[in-house]
Amino acid sequence: MKTYENTGNKDTRSGFGAGLDVLGDTNPDVVALCADLTGSLKMDAFKDKHPERFFQVGIAEANMMGIAAGMTIGGKIPFTGTFANFSTGRVYDQIRQSIAYSGKNVKICASHAGLTLGEDGATHQILEDLGLMKMLPGMTVINTCDFNQTKAATIAVAEHKGPVYLRFGRPKVPNFTAVDQSFEIGKAVKLQEGSDVTIVATGHLVWEALEAAKTLYDQGILAEVINIHTIKPLDEEAIIKSVKKTGCVVTAEEHNYLGGLGESVARCLTQNHPRPQEFVATQDTFGESGTPAELMEKYGLNAKAIVEKSKKVIERK
Amino acid sequence: MAEKPNLKDFVTQVRRDILRQVHKVNSGHPGGSLGCAEFFSVLFTEVLRTKDNFDMDGKEEDLFFLSNGHISPVYYSVLSRSGYFPVQELNTFRHIDSRLQGHPTTHEGLPGVRIASGSLGQGMSVAIGAALSKKLNNDKNLVYSLHGDGELQEGQNWEAIMYAAGNKVDNLIATVDYNGQQIDGSTDDVLPMGNLKAKFEAFGWIVLEEDNGNDIDAVRNILANAKSKTGQGKPVVILLKTVMGNGVDFMMHTHAWHGKAPNDEQLEIGLNQNPETLGDY
């Protein structure tokens, strides 16, 4: 099997900051807006180098979304930055009417998604955002897995015409994808070839899926691992092709099993190639305070959980 | 530029268009639309400097955003009679497969509309964004917006009002349709607005008041006055007192016609009070 080297733990939000910094130098139409979380979103480099294109909106996310929508009129490409919770649930109607329905070219960049936000607890740990965003017609939904991929995705979404939800996180996690990768929206990345089970993972769960595949390999189980950075539009062809080969699937995400990646994959397979599926996701619950590792263990979102679900789904074949 | 129509005739025709649109489909919002007929007519025929062909980016031209999207009948009438789309299309208002949706949208590609509105309280932020975009583009044209007074109960407005003053968005002229009415009754009964002038001033805006918002000359003058106040480091707001249902006697001074269409008989009365001037669609 392929081996992936962790070149050093880094946070995905810093990947966003690095990508935004590149865009600041390369695309004069890119503007950035932030709701009092510039440091947390790693937007300082852009802010310092391009102060005329950086807009501090204050703790007023609804206004930020509306201003971003308005700035597209005149040709700007706004990137909004705040936590995932405040990027989605708090401003859902602003996004729905002023951005999605109005077809505005806004990039909603959301950090601190999911349980790995950690100690701040459930008020800030949104586990419903992928569902909220993927239900909006015309919205592209991306959840990146490491620093390098987040940087590449940030640069790529500037070239995409239309609203995008770009989700990433707070903690330092393994950085293992290629440094100067090209990022193709809607194109799944196959990380491991396998024949016994397909693991479709997104975000922080992609590295966990690779770790799970190693454990499974040692036990004689060949897992195919797909990094599905784009939840919408879903690369259905890649998923169907893989599941036709393996005959079962485990989906893995840092999100509620209702409305997330898993349901998108289930819908796709039900329509095209029904096979057993298991879900590594939170089970319709809020989070709580704790370290990211403690929380991922308690809520069953790690390599261990993926191994267990893989064995279970293989038995159901 | 084409010869300016007689504004009084224009307004009268707009009122007929409003009544006929909502009557045909037995839905829509005539009250607020009628109250703003003079504002829209003056703004689109005399004030806005716009390019001949509509494009979404709106560079090098004035922009207008309607935040209280439910008064779409007046918006559609004035847009069509200003040449944005054929007047005959007013026949399709709120019908299936129409570009003239119940509330304005960009989704169907209707020329003149740059943002969807209807869910209230969002237009001020959008107008500010467009104004910031103009500043970045070194575009000296202005951004105009219209808001309901009841709409100011939505909190997002106050985020926007604070932002615009704090960041010197001085290429923006917001107008509040100050008719004192909303769906459930008078604004004082539903949620008292307090002193709007003092509120805007406290936030750092230049506030202009016009008590005769249904007088063409008064609207013309207040818009000119507002324009003269732009570029001074502060956003500008006009508190424009209007009469809901203006021009149709039984619809005036009441919230009853906020979202109700006239029946056949009421339509005839309303049309008789506003004889055809520029030609019905």
Side-chain angles (χ1 to χ4, degrees):
Chain A
M1 70 189 313
K2 280 188 191 170
T3 56
Y4 290 90
E5 185 195 356
N6 174 12
T7 59
N9 284 8
K10 279 178 141 178
D11 45 357
T12 50
R13 56 182 163 143
S14 286
F16 164 67
L20 191 64
D21 186 23
V22 170
L23 288 173
D25 294 338
T26 57
N27 191 334
D29 289 331
V30 168
V31 296
L33 299 86
C34 189
D36 196 31
L37 287 168
T38 311
S40 295
L41 269 286
K42 306 296 180 184
M43 298 168 86
D44 297 287
F46 184 99
K47 177 191 169 191
D48 292 343
K49 287 161 79 172
H50 310 283
E52 76 289 354
R53 285 192 275 144
F54 180 81
F55 297 85
Q56 172 60 266
V57 178
I59 311 167
E61 295 83 6
N63 189 38
M64 177 166 73
M65 293 303 167
I67 289 178
M71 290 188 84
T72 65
I73 300 162
K76 303 304 164 197
I77 306 172
F79 282 63
T80 66
T82 183
F83 290 173
N85 190 29
F86 314 136
S87 294
T88 57
R90 190 179 179 91
V91 290
Y92 197 63
D93 190 48
Q94 284 77 17
I95 294 175
R96 182 176 181 274
Q97 175 172 283
S98 293
I99 296 175
Y101 186 44
S102 294
K104 297 306 183 200
N105 192 23
V106 176
K107 316 305 171 186
I108 301 162
C109 303
S111 183
H112 293 57
L115 291 174
T116 52
L117 171 140
E119 293 81 352
D120 278 350
T123 52
H124 289 50
Q125 292 162 337
I126 194 160
L127 295 162
E128 308 91 42
D129 53 327
L130 294 177
L132 287 169
M133 290 296 109
K134 81 178 188 186
M135 282 197 295
L136 288 171
M139 182 68 71
T140 294
V141 179
I142 297 170
N143 186 188
T144 50
C145 69
D146 70 356
F147 175 96
N148 289 339
Q149 191 179 66
T150 309
K151 181 181 175 185
T154 303
I155 294 167
V157 298
E159 298 296 321
H160 171 81
K161 187 92 174 154
V164 173
Y165 179 63
L166 178 60
R167 180 200 214 226
F168 41 91
R170 173 180 181 239
K172 289 186 165 68
V173 295
N175 188 29
F176 60 96
T177 63
V179 175
D180 290 317
Q181 62 192 283
S182 66
F183 185 93
E184 194 175 342
I185 294 170
K187 188 77 180 164
V189 182
K190 192 194 291 180
L191 295 175
Q192 293 290 4
E193 290 273 358
S195 52
D196 297 326
V197 58
T198 299
I199 302 170
V200 181
T202 193
H204 292 145
L205 271 296
V206 175
W207 176 258
E208 298 298 321
L210 288 172
E211 292 293 289
K214 280 198 267 184
T215 303
L216 291 166
Y217 183 82
D218 291 341
Q219 298 173 18
I221 296 168
L222 299 178
E224 182 143 302
V225 178
I226 293 175
N227 173 4
I228 197 89
H229 51 63
T230 308
I231 313 293
K232 182 186 171 188
L234 191 67
D235 189 345
E236 300 194 0
E237 192 183 333
I239 293 167
I240 294 164
K241 189 177 169 194
S242 178
V243 175
K244 276 185 175 170
K245 180 171 62 172
T246 63
C248 62
V249 63
V250 173
T251 51
E253 61 195 304
E254 192 178 346
H255 189 273
N256 195 350
Y257 80 110
L258 297 173
L261 164 70
E263 283 199 347
S264 286
V265 171
R267 194 262 316 143
C268 163
L269 292 175
T270 303
Q271 284 183 311
N272 295 285
H273 188 70
R275 287 295 180 274
Q277 177 178 350
E278 291 290 331
F279 297 74
V280 171
T282 56
Q283 301 299 304
D284 201 20
T285 179
F286 292 104
E288 63 180 288
S289 293
T291 68
E294 287 170 346
L295 290 162
M296 297 298 258
E297 170 70 20
K298 176 168 178 175
Y299 290 86
L301 303 183
N302 54 17
K304 190 175 86 178
I306 295 171
V307 168
E308 286 168 6
K309 292 286 173 78
S310 295
K311 290 179 180 172
K312 185 177 174 189
V313 81
I314 288 168
E315 280 180 20
R316 290 176 54 205
K317 275 207 266 189
Chain B
M1 197 173 176
E3 193 180 337
K4 284 176 191 168
N6 176 318
L7 250 290
K8 193 164 173 294
D9 288 347
F10 191 94
V11 169
T12 304
Q13 188 65 49
V14 167
R15 288 193 199 124
R16 289 180 68 87
D17 291 349
I18 293 166
L19 292 170
R20 294 179 68 234
Q21 284 177 84
V22 298
H23 170 264
K24 184 181 177 194
V25 71
N26 195 27
S27 75
H29 298 78
S33 293
L34 288 165
C36 291
E38 289 82 3
F39 172 79
F40 273 88
S41 299
V42 173
L43 186 72
F44 275 83
T45 58
E46 295 186 2
V47 178
L48 291 177
R49 295 163 300 183
T50 56
K51 294 181 290 196
D52 288 342
N53 294 311
F54 175 80
D55 66 61
M56 188 54 75
D57 272 351
K59 291 178 180 173
E60 299 299 330
E61 62 182 331
D62 290 337
L63 301 177
F64 170 74
F65 294 97
L66 176 65
S67 190
N68 47 330
H70 57 275
I71 65 168
S72 54
V74 64
Y75 194 19
Y76 294 150
S77 168
V78 171
L79 282 177
S80 69
R81 294 195 180 273
S82 303
Y84 282 88
F85 57 85
V87 179
Q88 285 71 26
E89 206 167 337
L90 296 177
N91 261 317
T92 71
F93 173 64
R94 285 184 173 236
H95 283 263
I96 193 87
D97 296 329
S98 173
R99 298 196 293 180
L100 276 56
Q101 291 289 296
H103 294 80
T105 174
T106 60
H107 203 255
E108 320 298 333
L110 186 69
V113 179
R114 291 190 171 87
I115 197 78
S117 61
S119 176
L120 294 173
Q122 300 186 26
M124 180 86 74
S125 303
V126 173
I128 290 168
L132 293 172
S133 201
K134 287 215 174 291
K135 283 179 177 277
L136 284 172
N137 290 335
N138 201 24
D139 177 345
K140 301 299 183 196
N141 293 282
L142 297 174
V143 176
Y144 293 80
S145 60
L146 182 66
H147 314 264
D149 50 358
E151 186 184 11
L152 296 178
Q153 291 159 5
E154 289 281 6
Q156 184 182 345
N157 286 300
W158 300 97
E159 296 180 4
I161 290 164
M162 188 183 296
Y163 181 92
N167 291 278
K168 300 181 170 56
V169 183
D170 59 2
N171 53 345
L172 169 67
I173 298 173
T175 297
V176 176
D177 175 21
Y178 205 174
N179 61 25
Q181 306 287 337
Q182 56 191 111
I183 296 179
D184 276 359
S186 77
T187 51
D188 281 343
D189 286 340
V190 176
L191 181 61
M193 309 295 292
N195 186 333
L196 278 185
K197 178 170 190 275
K199 284 187 164 91
F200 271 98
E201 284 178 345
F203 277 81
W205 285 55
I206 295 171
V207 183
L208 303 176
E209 293 178 293
E210 177 48 64
D211 289 342
N212 299 307
N214 296 112
D215 179 281
I216 290 169
D217 287 334
V219 172
R220 187 182 282 139
N221 290 339
I222 198 74
L223 281 167
N225 189 10
K227 187 173 177 180
S228 75
K229 305 283 188 198
T230 59
Q232 297 179 13
K234 291 182 173 185
V236 180
V237 64
I238 301 169
L239 301 178
L240 189 71
K241 286 229 169 113
T242 66
V243 174
M244 211 175 194
N246 187 64
V248 179
D249 58 7
F250 61 90
M251 290 186 173
M252 292 171 71
H253 304 291
T254 170
H255 62 89
W257 294 92
H258 169 90
K260 190 174 114 181
N263 61 27
D264 293 349
E265 189 184 341
Q266 291 160 335
L267 174 72
E268 195 177 333
I269 296 169
L271 293 180
N272 284 339
Q273 292 173 10
N274 293 279
E276 191 172 352
T277 53
L278 307 183
D280 286 339
Y281 56 85

